[in-house]
Amino acid sequence: MWNVLDDDAVFPTDEVRPSEVAPVLPLFGTVEDETVLGWQERALCAQTDPEAFFPEKGGSTREAKKVCTGCEVRAECLEYALEHDERFGIWGGLSERERRKLKKRVV
């Protein structure tokens, strides 16, 4: 086996100073994405059929809205949809049309 270190190499001690530690970066996305979108992991829709949240035109939204009613991250979901101008699907318990009306009232 080869020694790739110098014989005089200084080995790190068990004590590591915070200034010496390189930051840990996620492989995908950014650190902000992980904290901002963390609500999606707790969303009830992530545990149900996604097709219910994107019904065909004229299709029922009742089932999706029923799931949203009991979801703990409903407010975060709606806020995300409004901020990112989501144009399709049920987000935060509201349809596309309902979100447009809400945006008009706020503006």
Side-chain angles (χ1 to χ4, degrees):
M1 182 107 178
W2 294 350
N3 183 2
V4 293
L5 298 174
D6 286 344
D7 291 337
D8 297 332
V10 177
F11 291 95
T13 63
D14 290 338
E15 187 178 322
V16 177
R17 293 182 193 98
S19 62
E20 297 172 350
V21 177
V24 177
L25 299 174
L27 293 175
F28 304 100
T30 64
V31 175
E32 293 85 26
D33 290 344
E34 297 300 318
T35 56
V36 172
L37 299 179
W39 60 267
Q40 290 182 344
E41 292 177 0
R42 299 187 325 270
L44 290 178
C45 60
Q47 304 164 26
T48 58
D49 180 16
E51 289 187 25
F53 294 88
F54 295 92
E56 292 183 22
K57 189 169 182 156
S60 176
T61 60
R62 185 178 298 134
E63 203 173 310
K65 289 181 178 184
K66 187 176 178 181
V67 172
C68 292
T69 301
C71 186
E72 68 179 62
V73 294
R74 182 177 179 183
E76 291 94 331
C77 179
L78 180 57
E79 184 178 338
Y80 175 86
L82 293 172
E83 285 179 7
H84 293 86
D85 199 28
E86 289 289 343
R87 296 177 188 233
F88 303 100
I90 305 301
W91 291 81
L94 300 181
S95 67
E96 311 92 273
R97 183 180 302 145
E98 292 165 330
R99 289 193 304 277
R100 278 195 307 267
K101 285 181 185 179
L102 180 63
K103 270 186 151 181
K104 285 181 183 180
R105 278 191 265 150
V106 172
V107 175

